[in-house]
Amino acid sequence: MEKLETLIQELYQEGTREKNMEVLSHIRKLAKEEKQFIIPVGDANGEKVYRRLSLDDGQDVFVAFTTQAQVDLGQTTETLNQSVMDVLHMVHDTQGVSGVVLNPWKDSYFLPKVLIEMILDNKNLESEIKVVKGDITTFDGDCIVNAANESLLGGGGVDGAIHRAAGPMLLEECKLLNGCHTGQAKITKVYDLKVKYVIHTVGPIYSGQHEDEHMLRDCYWNSLTLARKNDIHTIAFPAISTGVYGYPIDKAAVVAVDTVKEFIREHPGKIELVRFVLFSADVLAAYEKVIGERTIL
Ligand code: ADP
């Protein structure tokens, strides 16, 4: 619950959509983990009822606290512990109530019914991870990732395809970047491509050493970090390092899927879609197998 309070405080400071999504995702997590809110109750005709607050605009809302310390900031009241999930359902199902105010006395957070619906539906809160067979240059989201080499001056495989589709100006911009170390990522414009950005990352040349995995992981992690910084919501990855760099496809698929999944879990809200666009049937099959075996989020 302290984490929720911290997130709400951060929301006060930052006020971003992204932070709000983090708060919502966290509430959903608390609901799934069967955590409890503290609910103030009162007596009405001998029955225990949840206390409500009437807002200035005439709307009634329920109240819930994350900790006893938050309860103690206000007037003394009888309370009950109630599971987060039950509170969400109760608020959602009660007519004449527009939502629930968490911690009304300090750093309060109003959760209206529409957002409760989002939490209960799981909609829009979870990023989608998809795999498709295809040519990444035709992706029409915000960004494609290029499996480049350290020079960033173009090459074969997916790198060549992206440069061909973007046109010669992409190479001109890449020349100004002074290359890129393995595992790192750099962003450029797209010229003739449909997306808004290309993120160039350099996968490891497979050697069979432990470092390969770390560096491949860095490629996905650093690309997604750069995506977040640039307000990218939808992004497509090729199977980095699985071409001329020789990374075994099954192993690369595990690193790709696990890293993306972990990134999304740690940074909910911002990235809406990660699509792995895979050029051949064997790579597609390897990714589908990994995705099937691992529950997303
Ligand atoms: P690397 O040097 O990182 O191994 P490659 O370009 O040789 O990069 O291969 C990476 C993966 O990209 C391979 O699985 C290859 O089949 C795939 N690939 C090649 N062209 C495309 C394309 N146009 N779209 C998506 N994937 C592609």
Side-chain angles (χ1 to χ4, degrees), residues 133-138 145-149 155-162 164 201-205 216 237-247 249 277-280 282-283 287:
K133 185 161 172 285
D135 174 354
I136 201 165
T137 61
T138 63
V145 176
N146 180 16
N149 57 51
V158 70
D159 196 5
I162 289 173
R164 273 194 302 281
T201 187
V202 183
I205 299 172
L216 188 58
F237 282 96
I240 299 164
S241 283
T242 63
V244 293
Y245 280 4
Y247 211 113
I249 293 165
V277 181
L278 309 164
F279 209 48
S280 59
D282 54 338
V283 180
Y287 272 70

Side-chain angles (χ1 to χ4, degrees), residues 165-218:
M169 290 298 290
L170 179 60
L171 180 59
E172 294 307 311
E173 185 176 350
C174 285
K175 282 180 185 167
L176 305 173
L177 297 178
N178 290 323
C180 181
H181 292 300
T182 303
Q184 301 300 304
K186 293 194 173 176
I187 192 162
T188 64
K189 293 190 283 217
V190 297
Y191 306 97
D192 294 342
L193 284 162
K194 286 191 215 157
V195 285
K196 296 182 196 152
Y197 298 100
V198 180
I199 289 176
H200 306 260
T201 187
V202 183
I205 299 172
Y206 189 70
S207 68
Q209 310 281 314
H210 262 317
E211 289 79 56
D212 296 338
E213 191 181 321
H214 292 303
M215 286 189 287
L216 188 58
R217 190 187 139 79
D218 284 351

